[in-house]
Amino acid sequence: MKLGLLLLYLLIGYVIVTWIGIGHTIFNIKVLHMKSMKESDGLGEGYEKTKPWHPLYNIIIFPIFGWLYMTGLSEATLAVALVAGVIWAVISILIDLVGWVLIPHPLRLTFKQFYVEYQPWITLIYIAIFLGPVIGYFIAK
């Protein structure tokens, strides 16, 4: 297992998915004229309408980086893919907890908003992240 490469691909995928979500929100507000967080409760209508799309972004992006990771290994196995998926999911959960819940910033959410009100989307996102290396393994095979 190449841990540095695994973490690099997770970081790249995480940043891409985050920017896609931000871009989708901006599109909804600027082009579709949905309400922003300044004009409505929570993070605004523009963001709320993107939620069902979040798992889709993840199930498309993370298998690409899972495939890249698995093809870069001398011996790619399902066991390695499963361990990589667990590592990606756990680290993503920790990054989200720190970055979206614990650190104060304008887009900060409460624990309840992020882990309860964001259901089922957040659970589907973590499943998609976990499956990234697994799907990548089967594509590479």
Side-chain angles (χ1 to χ4, degrees), residues 44-61:
E45 177 190 22
Y47 169 75
E48 292 297 324
K49 296 290 186 179
T50 68
K51 284 182 178 181
W53 295 91
H54 295 179
L56 181 62
Y57 311 150
N58 286 271
I59 203 65
I60 291 170
I61 298 300

Side-chain angles (χ1 to χ4, degrees), residues 6-22:
L6 181 70
L7 297 177
L8 176 64
Y9 285 141
L10 168 62
L11 177 65
I12 294 169
Y14 189 95
V15 168
I16 289 171
V17 165
T18 301
W19 280 106
I20 290 171
I22 290 168

